[in-house]
Amino acid sequence: MYAQMIKTAGTGVKSREEMTEQERAFQDKIDADIKIEPKDWMPDDYRATLIRQIGQHAHSEIVGQLPEGNWITRAPTLERKAILLAKVQDEAGHGLYLYCAAETLGVSRDEITEMLLDGRMKYSSIFNYPTLNWADIGAVGWLVDGAAIMNQVPLQRTSFGPYSRAMIRICKEESFHQRQGYDAIRKMAEGTPEQKKMAQDALNRLWYPSLMMFGPSDKDSVHSAQSMAWKIKINTNDELRQKFVDQTVPQAEYLGLTIPDPDLKWNEERGHYDFTDPDWSEFYDVVKGNGPCNVDRLAARNKAWDDGAWVRDGLLAHARKKAAAKVAAE
Amino acid sequence: MTRDEAFLQFLLRMGDNTLILGHRVSEWCGHAPVLEEDIALANTALDLIGQTQMWLGLAGEVQGEGKSADDLAFLRDVWDFRNVLLVEVPNGDFGRTLMRQFLFDAWHSIMLGRLMTSSDDRVAAIAAKASKEVAYHLERSGDTVVGLGDGTEESHRRMQEALDYLWPYVGEMFASDEVDAEMAAAGIAPDPASLREEYDALVGRVLRKATLTIPDSRFAHKGGRNGRMHTEHLGHLLTQMQWLQRAYPGATW
């Protein structure tokens, strides 16, 4: 998942006594794993939080096209170019399902798009990092999609029906992307000394930003409890981050690459790897807009939107003319 | 010119058209006016790159020098490319990109339809697969040209400008030379000139619906499909496309 720092609406988890009858019935459904559908009653705060979360996820898919698109015209073989095109196309498709899921909550795609463009809504911090060599494309698939899947797999069971169904579909494609990404970086790691250098460089730059994708440490993550009670967040940030590290370290070892963390080591007692937390001050800087690519990414999206206005207007005008002609003919 | 030499030239023309247009379309990734268009453009580029793998793969086989489709795509220089000039001109605005796509798709769909009955089974098989994809490309680019041509005043103006700019590049798709004569004699591919009537009818029908006016002139820029003189744009495109293969020769990716 590409949602971080989602501010849960409302004042926190209510006890059963504090809930209205409607709220109790709603919570009972969630506790019984019955999906909430768009026409069902839901608390306003549940709706607002989901719009933020699904919207941020959708925006991440859209902005996420940019760092990968950066290499489509330079892909080194026809097959790699085709794979990357297919992946970016899938991501745009994920954006589309997610915007549709958000629309079922009563917010239009244009409305939340404008909130992205003017900075009221965010996208995942990871896409504010640049893709500088071809191995980054493999590393994005391996690490970024890998981290996304960690979060998305549990979200297939999330309480809101349209979101859960979108996740089921997205997860299938994401796990495919992750395998392709790993394959691409494996080719580099097993290649010439220059290719190996590119692979290591990609891992060095993307490791900590990937860990940041799970959001701040649990002790600083103040909004989780209500979202977890609503089952729109299933695991805590730290649980998922640990799971990701545990999964990824052996994969890096297999590739012969070194994770840029001298303190990383297996902890027999915990049965997990100990690792260094990312630099959270850097994370907050990126979230505030000071990442290496924030300005460029948002400018690119704004330019696409502004330059495309005449196209959207033209097609809409044509559709209206056609509809009017049809009515006149009847 | 031997038959195999002509056959190689023909295959390079087909494969280079799809390669260069696929590249141009892929430049849009993430920058389209609306999400559905991002998806459609990526999908079109993907189809074209897939077709390139087939055409250039066969070209390498016919050439018999052990070259792969990738060798042909990434290790030739401008003068070796055999695509029509139309596909290498820069994207311009979305209107020009879609107009170029439509003008190419219309030719492509007619050409592939004829190639399905090629005397060479390999050509017929590639054409059969590609024509399904291209039928969709044509439907989409045609609908978009109509929608924007007959949309607002601004969209109409932009589409007419796109058509005026691109029309001089249309004629090259129908120019015939000794390669085509050899291919036609062998029953491998039609004489390009023989596609023009069907093309004019198809394009005329769509552009009328789009309320656009086809320029009067039949003047045609040429030099792409025989490699005599490409535009200045192709060299820049290749510097990007071929960068990794050129900078790190011999690496596998």
Side-chain angles (χ1 to χ4, degrees):
Chain A
M1 183 181 67
Y2 296 118
Q4 299 158 319
M5 310 268 301
I6 299 297
K7 190 173 177 313
T8 309
T11 49
V13 187
K14 288 183 185 171
S15 66
R16 284 191 77 79
E17 293 70 45
E18 291 169 310
M19 288 180 187
T20 65
E21 202 174 316
Q22 234 173 353
E23 286 170 338
R24 265 197 297 274
F26 175 80
Q27 190 62 48
D28 288 344
K29 270 170 88 174
I30 288 182
D31 294 343
D33 284 329
I34 297 169
K35 294 279 178 255
I36 308 300
E37 295 300 335
K39 286 184 177 155
D40 296 345
W41 182 87
M42 63 186 82
D44 290 344
D45 293 336
Y46 175 86
R47 184 186 300 275
T49 307
L50 265 177
I51 289 173
R52 283 179 204 157
Q53 183 168 330
I54 298 174
Q56 190 182 109
H57 187 167
H59 298 328
S60 300
E61 299 281 0
I62 302 312
V63 177
Q65 294 180 92
L66 298 172
E68 297 193 301
N70 184 40
W71 278 93
I72 284 182
T73 55
R74 291 177 291 170
T77 68
L78 294 169
E79 191 187 2
R80 291 288 172 203
K81 194 183 181 88
I83 290 171
L84 187 54
L85 272 165
K87 177 174 196 275
V88 175
Q89 187 192 356
D90 284 348
E91 274 150 14
H94 298 171
L96 199 55
Y97 318 146
L98 288 162
Y99 283 127
C100 291
E103 280 183 327
T104 67
L105 292 161
V107 57
S108 75
R109 201 205 307 179
D110 281 2
E111 274 173 83
I112 53 175
T113 296
E114 274 161 22
M115 289 167 81
L116 165 71
L117 296 177
D118 66 19
R120 278 176 292 160
M121 282 181 89
K122 303 264 185 244
Y123 52 90
S124 177
S125 57
I126 189 72
F127 300 118
N128 288 313
Y129 288 87
T131 50
L132 299 180
N133 80 59
W134 171 251
D136 285 32
I137 295 305
V140 166
W142 171 37
L143 301 173
V144 175
D145 291 327
I149 293 165
M150 280 293 155
N151 231 316
Q152 284 168 350
V153 166
L155 278 174
Q156 295 178 99
R157 295 180 280 114
T158 192
S159 60
F160 187 55
Y163 193 27
S164 155
R165 291 187 286 274
M167 280 303 158
I168 290 168
R169 198 158 163 190
I170 288 171
C171 277
K172 285 188 192 137
E173 294 179 349
E174 291 288 7
S175 61
F176 191 57
H177 296 165
Q178 197 205 6
R179 283 201 295 276
Q180 288 173 328
Y182 192 71
D183 176 68
I185 201 163
R186 188 176 54 81
K187 261 281 185 344
M188 307 284 286
E190 291 170 354
T192 64
E194 290 93 341
Q195 285 177 302
K196 189 158 182 175
K197 190 174 163 191
M198 290 179 207
Q200 184 63 54
D201 176 56
L203 178 58
N204 290 350
R205 279 181 289 103
L206 289 167
W207 172 252
Y208 286 106
S210 299
L211 297 186
M212 292 176 196
M213 286 177 67
F214 299 96
S217 178
D218 292 348
K219 60 184 188 316
D220 303 316
S221 181
V222 289
H223 302 294
S224 291
Q226 177 65 79
S227 285
M228 290 177 94
W230 281 333
K231 294 189 186 168
I232 55 183
K233 184 173 174 130
I234 312 283
N235 303 90
T236 72
N237 297 351
D238 286 336
E239 278 167 17
L240 291 169
R241 192 169 7 252
Q242 181 71 61
K243 209 172 160 197
F244 174 75
V245 171
D246 290 348
Q247 174 187 288
T248 309
V249 172
Q251 294 171 344
E253 279 168 2
Y254 179 81
L255 294 174
L257 299 177
T258 308
I259 292 193
D261 178 356
D263 296 325
L264 182 95
K265 62 170 187 302
W266 179 252
N267 182 325
E268 197 65 57
E269 206 176 304
R270 290 202 309 123
H272 292 293
Y273 282 93
D274 290 337
F275 60 96
T276 306
D277 253 358
D279 174 356
W280 291 115
S281 67
E282 176 181 317
F283 171 74
Y284 289 111
D285 270 339
V286 175
V287 169
K288 266 184 249 157
N290 295 321
C293 300
N294 293 60
V295 173
D296 289 345
R297 297 281 188 253
L298 215 50
R301 288 312 308 164
N302 272 289
K303 185 174 190 307
W305 186 249
D306 295 344
D307 289 354
W310 72 269
V311 177
R312 296 189 302 275
D313 292 347
L315 293 175
L316 193 65
H318 179 72
R320 285 189 180 134
K321 282 186 205 177
K322 253 172 77 174
K326 201 175 162 209
V327 171
E330 275 165 7
Chain B
M1 178 175 293
T2 67
R3 177 148 306 171
D4 269 0
E5 281 165 356
F7 192 22
L8 172 63
Q9 290 301 308
F10 162 76
L11 293 167
L12 291 174
R13 288 172 179 182
M14 294 303 293
D16 288 345
N17 279 340
T18 52
L19 172 63
I20 301 301
L21 185 59
H23 183 97
R24 280 287 186 228
V25 174
S26 78
E27 291 173 0
W28 272 97
C29 177
H31 304 283
V34 66
L35 193 45
E36 284 81 352
E37 292 301 333
D38 262 322
I39 296 172
L41 288 164
N43 188 48
T44 303
L46 182 58
D47 288 343
L48 291 170
I49 297 304
Q51 293 169 19
T52 304
Q53 289 175 292
M54 296 190 283
W55 289 123
L56 293 187
L58 183 53
E61 217 175 279
V62 168
Q63 188 183 35
E65 294 175 13
K67 286 190 179 144
S68 66
D70 282 339
D71 292 335
L72 292 173
F74 294 96
L75 299 175
R76 282 179 300 150
D77 205 342
V78 169
W79 54 30
D80 301 316
F81 275 78
R82 295 292 180 265
N83 57 281
V84 291
L85 302 179
L86 175 70
V87 298
E88 71 193 44
V89 294
N91 286 336
D93 67 5
F94 182 80
R96 188 191 284 179
T97 296
L98 262 289
M99 181 61 81
R100 181 186 60 197
Q101 190 70 39
F102 169 67
L103 295 172
F104 180 78
D105 290 343
W107 171 83
H108 204 196
S109 70
I110 298 166
M111 184 65 166
L112 292 171
R114 303 279 180 94
L115 291 178
M116 283 164 71
T117 57
S118 170
S119 62
D120 187 288
D121 292 345
R122 295 166 299 180
V123 169
I126 295 172
K129 183 170 187 305
S131 67
K132 289 185 199 123
E133 296 166 349
V134 170
Y136 167 73
H137 299 175
L138 177 62
E139 188 186 324
R140 171 182 168 269
S141 64
D143 284 352
T144 312
V145 164
V146 170
L148 293 174
D150 183 30
T152 60
E153 207 173 301
E154 181 182 7
S155 73
H156 175 84
R157 174 181 60 75
R158 284 176 183 261
M159 294 314 279
Q160 185 63 53
E161 280 170 11
L163 180 59
D164 294 347
Y165 175 81
L166 293 167
W167 191 252
Y169 293 97
V170 165
E172 189 186 10
M173 294 187 285
F174 305 97
S176 301
D177 61 11
E178 68 276 19
V179 171
D180 301 302
E182 186 63 36
M183 288 297 94
I188 293 177
D191 175 2
S194 72
L195 312 180
R196 183 82 204 226
E197 200 179 325
E198 194 178 340
Y199 182 86
D200 283 340
L202 193 166
V203 166
R205 199 164 56 239
V206 172
L207 293 178
R208 259 195 309 282
K209 255 177 96 177
T211 70
L212 297 171
T213 311
I214 295 177
D216 238 348
S217 168
R218 276 236 170 180
F219 172 77
H221 292 296
K222 290 179 191 139
R225 69 195 297 276
N226 58 19
R228 190 181 64 80
M229 193 160 75
H230 280 277
T231 65
E232 287 181 344
H233 307 296
L234 184 60
H236 291 278
L237 185 154
L238 297 186
T239 58
Q240 268 200 12
M241 187 174 85
Q242 299 182 336
W243 146 251
L244 278 172
Q245 289 275 1
R246 298 285 193 180
Y248 301 98
T252 53
W253 304 91

